[in-house]
Amino acid sequence: MKLNRREAVKLGLMGVGGLLLPFDSSNSALAQTISDCPECPRGEIPPPTFSQEELSHQIPRFEYPFKKPPLLKPIRSYENGERPLDCYEITMKKAQVDIIPGLKTKIWSYNGTLPGPVIRQRGGFRDEDQGRDSLVRFINKLGTSEENGAEIPINTSVHLHGMASLPEYDGYAEDLICPNQFKDYFYPNDRAATIWYHDHAIDRTSRNVYMGLAGMYIVEDEEERQFNLPQGEYDVPLILQDLRLADDGSLIFNDRGQRSLYGDVSLVNGVPWPCMKVARRKYRFRVLNASTSRTYDLVLSQKENRLTPGEKMYVIGSDCGLLDAPVELTSPLQALVIAPAERYEFIIDFSQYDLETNLYLRNPPFSSSSNIDSDARVQTIMRFDIERDEPDNSSLPDKLREIKRLDPNQAVTTRKFRFQRSSTQWLINNKSWNKNRVDANPQPGDIEIWELTNNGGWMHPVHIHFVDWQILDRNGRKPLAYEGGWKDVFRVDHFETVRVIAEFGRRSGDYLQGRFMMHCHNLVHEDHSMMTQFEVGQNAPSPCSAPPLPISEITPL
Ligand code: C2O
Ligand code: CU
Ligand code: CU
């Protein structure tokens, strides 16, 4: 079926007053060059702030109740035309939240909460999917932050990580929304997956995301519904973050001289070490690692301080949607390794346990662990208290979505990217970020193999925008079973070469073109400056071709 995304955009345009004209990527008459990106004032990056006094040892464990992030409803929907459009509004603003009850923590937020609200949307392009488009208006009311005595504007850019957006809606790092500006982002909701939106401002992503600018976005489709997986209240986001809090509750941003940032408070959906009361039945968990640098090795255990054998989780999905079959992981040896920005979905069947059993989600230090930091305080994440019986009509099918394997013999080229540390910076092929340089130029429809090599020292979770990939091998060996689906983030461990394969430009059923970023998703590495870009096709417009507008020009959606 030929879908008509651009028609939908135009339809949205006709219905929506004042909406910015989304440029057609094929129309190079509208093209700008990258250097036309408007410059917001950036300021110097201050040295990290330290505090000896830290709160984490005083925070009780497994006492604060688990909570889900709030669900965001559209403020307006347009049902007519080929594809309905839902309009959402998110204000980026400073807020005070109770991470620790009784203490106020200042954050930079999407709509005032930590993490931001969850958007759940119907996607897919087959008729039965009844897929919809989204328009999300992001309004920057963050103002300024004080750095070394100067007031620096908090500029933002919003990336919906896991969506094949047009370049001008992809949160390009130089496409900044300055304070008192807003931008309408258009999202095609092309396929079902657990994805997330987060800040992507040039040089400042690690700080902005750490301060609170992250939220989950879930796309569902009809095929997924047919698998009868746990749904509704049994379909649960788990957004993992590690933070550092001073005694007065304020956030401490310490990136250890631009190396990495490790917190000593482990949070799930903004709550430190929560306790979730569950029924004896199956639950589907969507776990997102929204931490700056930390990788987690997730294992279930009946004990807080050691691993009990035989606890099972069934991995059913990864970054870009469902796997082709569940992958069973059994404690104590099989962990689910999740690096920054990765998403995995798994089912836990609590009916395997007696009432009043406690089950811990742990992050023990495995020898294989990719972390430099193995703080004992973040070795346990949360507790499930199995406290009631409830009926369960959901299933854990043997087979899930069929995954068509891309054939390496059809690749038109292999490109090599080396991730390495220089004396002062993080680099890709010895180069730092330059918005005027493009390092790869695949053509729409091309199948390519990219070889990602790590020269050692640190693990790099490499993220490539816009396309879904399959991992071919790690140092010539098969990837882990749960890495067998579609992915957009790849752990590239010390002295490892990971080969990945993709078909460019075709995900939305249409061939899209444009410039997109690739970078390490250890956000400290990304900022300093392990990031590059590739261009799909020729002469596509600049990713800055739909600039933000001043708030004074807002018209209702
Ligand atoms: Cu999740 Cu380019 O980022
Ligand atoms: Cu992305
Ligand atoms: Cu890195």
Side-chain angles (χ1 to χ4, degrees):
M1 171 195 160
K2 167 87 178 140
L3 62 104
N4 217 331
R5 206 150 95 69
R6 293 192 179 120
E7 297 299 322
V9 177
K10 283 173 200 138
L11 178 89
L13 267 175
M14 286 190 286
V16 181
L19 175 63
L20 247 140
L21 180 73
F23 294 140
D24 183 327
S25 275
S26 62
N27 186 348
S28 56
L30 295 170
Q32 289 174 293
T33 64
I34 297 282
S35 46
D36 290 341
C37 291
E39 300 275 347
C40 305
R42 268 178 208 169
E44 287 303 304
I45 296 178
T49 44
F50 290 88
S51 164
Q52 296 311 318
E53 286 139 341
E54 288 167 22
L55 199 61
S56 74
H57 50 280
Q58 299 167 38
I59 302 174
R61 291 161 167 261
F62 322 116
E63 272 184 24
Y64 300 142
F66 177 85
K67 65 170 206 258
K68 292 185 186 176
L71 190 68
L72 189 69
K73 293 278 176 223
I75 56 170
R76 179 139 190 210
S77 297
Y78 295 86
E79 301 295 337
N80 301 329
E82 205 169 317
R83 197 170 163 91
L85 176 75
D86 296 310
C87 302
Y88 301 82
E89 193 172 279
I90 292 181
T91 301
M92 299 179 273
K93 58 184 180 190
K94 291 176 178 152
Q96 295 209 336
V97 294
D98 299 285
I99 295 177
I100 315 292
L103 266 189
K104 293 285 177 203
T105 301
K106 287 189 190 132
I107 60 163
W108 300 349
S109 73
Y110 292 120
N111 277 0
T113 62
L114 178 78
V118 174
I119 293 178
R120 254 183 204 270
Q121 187 56 293
R122 290 196 71 134
F125 287 124
R126 300 161 313 160
D127 288 336
E128 60 270 32
D129 288 323
Q130 297 171 43
R132 306 172 73 85
D133 291 335
S134 307
L135 182 146
V136 187
R137 170 169 290 175
F138 284 94
I139 305 170
N140 184 350
K141 291 200 180 149
L142 283 164
T144 59
S145 76
E146 208 231 78
E147 293 177 0
N148 299 333
E151 292 293 324
I152 305 294
I154 304 171
N155 303 322
T156 62
S157 173
V158 187
H159 173 49
L160 180 52
H161 177 144
M163 183 69 75
S165 308
L166 290 170
E168 55 271 41
Y169 304 118
D170 195 46
Y172 189 68
E174 311 261 357
D175 183 22
L176 294 170
I177 313 172
C178 306
N180 297 317
Q181 293 184 332
F182 75 100
K183 174 161 170 157
D184 293 336
Y185 288 79
F186 177 80
Y187 302 126
N189 299 317
D190 50 347
R191 50 102 178 91
T194 301
I195 61 178
W196 63 306
Y197 59 100
H198 63 77
D199 189 71
H200 218 303
I202 184 74
D203 300 341
R204 298 302 179 94
T205 297
S206 56
R207 183 200 59 176
N208 292 0
V209 174
Y210 182 84
M211 290 301 292
L213 295 174
M216 187 178 277
Y217 188 114
I218 296 169
V219 184
E220 303 174 295
D221 69 7
E222 191 52 36
E223 183 185 6
E224 196 173 305
R225 208 149 298 174
Q226 286 161 8
F227 293 125
N228 190 33
L229 298 164
Q231 48 173 295
E233 101 174 78
Y234 309 105
D235 173 348
V236 182
L238 298 180
I239 302 173
L240 308 184
Q241 283 171 304
D242 59 332
L243 299 176
R244 224 161 249 277
L245 293 166
D247 275 354
D248 64 356
S250 59
L251 283 169
I252 301 169
F253 180 87
N254 175 4
D255 65 4
R256 302 185 186 186
Q258 307 186 348
R259 283 190 173 75
S260 280
L261 187 154
Y262 292 106
D264 56 6
V265 179
S266 166
L267 300 101
V268 183
N269 301 341
V271 181
W273 295 288
C275 167
M276 180 182 183
K277 302 208 179 307
V278 296
R280 293 184 62 238
R281 53 157 293 150
K282 291 186 283 303
Y283 283 70
R284 172 186 190 171
F285 293 100
R286 301 174 185 260
V287 59
L288 155 66
N289 182 352
S291 296
T292 312
S293 304
R294 183 179 296 281
T295 295
Y296 299 82
D297 301 70
L298 299 177
V299 193
L300 294 170
S301 173
Q302 293 191 43
K303 294 283 178 231
E304 183 185 344
N305 297 313
R306 64 182 174 84
L307 292 176
T308 54
E311 324 301 348
K312 291 182 191 305
M313 57 168 77
Y314 302 89
V315 185
I316 56 167
S318 60
D319 303 337
C320 311
L322 292 179
L323 303 179
D324 56 0
V327 174
E328 180 181 316
L329 298 178
T330 308
S331 71
L333 293 181
Q334 295 176 313
L336 174 62
V337 184
I338 180 166
E342 284 190 300
R343 288 87 67 205
Y344 282 108
E345 301 183 28
F346 55 85
I347 286 180
I348 302 177
D349 186 356
F350 295 109
S351 73
Q352 302 304 304
Y353 297 95
D354 294 335
L355 282 179
E356 308 206 338
T357 307
N358 293 340
L359 204 58
Y360 296 86
L361 183 63
R362 299 209 52 220
N363 169 41
F366 282 95
S367 56
S368 60
S369 172
S370 302
N371 287 313
I372 305 297
D373 176 286
S374 62
D375 194 317
R377 287 168 288 196
V378 288
Q379 288 176 14
T380 308
I381 308 295
M382 66 181 291
R383 191 174 79 195
F384 302 101
D385 290 5
I386 300 154
E387 53 134 43
R388 62 187 192 273
D389 280 307
E390 250 172 51
D392 186 359
N393 304 320
S394 70
S395 38
L396 173 60
D398 296 335
K399 289 261 160 284
L400 294 163
R401 199 183 300 256
E402 197 188 321
I403 292 181
K404 179 187 149 252
R405 306 308 307 181
L406 294 177
D407 178 2
N409 293 319
Q410 297 197 352
V412 298
T413 188
T414 295
R415 299 181 200 268
K416 296 179 198 288
F417 297 95
R418 236 173 28 258
F419 295 78
Q420 60 200 134
R421 171 90 184 161
S422 74
S423 51
T424 54
Q425 273 193 312
W426 304 97
L427 302 173
I428 302 175
N429 285 349
N430 250 324
K431 293 177 186 134
S432 57
W433 169 253
N434 175 344
K435 67 181 175 186
N436 297 313
R437 194 189 73 238
V438 169
D439 280 335
N441 183 213
Q443 297 310 302
D446 281 358
I447 292 177
E448 294 197 358
I449 295 171
W450 287 16
E451 258 183 48
L452 315 169
T453 297
N454 181 344
N455 283 21
W458 303 69
M459 187 276 282
H460 301 295
V462 176
H463 170 46
I464 308 173
H465 283 222
F466 181 58
V467 241
D468 292 352
W469 298 77
Q470 293 172 357
I471 301 183
L472 289 172
D473 44 41
R474 297 182 163 278
N475 278 352
R477 290 188 303 274
K478 271 183 70 172
L480 299 166
Y482 56 80
E483 293 180 313
W486 293 100
K487 286 188 59 60
D488 60 29
V489 183
F490 325 100
R491 269 185 309 111
V492 186
D493 233 309
H494 318 277
F495 306 111
E496 200 171 38
T497 293
V498 178
R499 289 198 313 147
V500 297
I501 185 167
E503 179 180 0
F504 279 84
R506 207 200 186 154
R507 209 170 79 196
S508 304
D510 206 353
Y511 285 102
L512 298 181
Q513 308 196 21
R515 290 182 199 197
F516 297 93
M517 298 172 287
M518 165 168 80
H519 57 87
C520 178
H521 221 294
N522 178 330
L523 297 177
V524 177
H525 297 189
E526 170 185 337
D527 280 345
H528 310 284
S529 122
M530 199 171 252
M531 182 159 84
T532 183
Q533 63 186 336
F534 57 98
E535 177 168 350
V536 183
Q538 309 292 347
N539 302 319
S542 159
C544 302
S545 58
L549 291 176
I551 285 179
S552 57
E553 286 175 37
I554 282 188
T555 49
L557 287 168

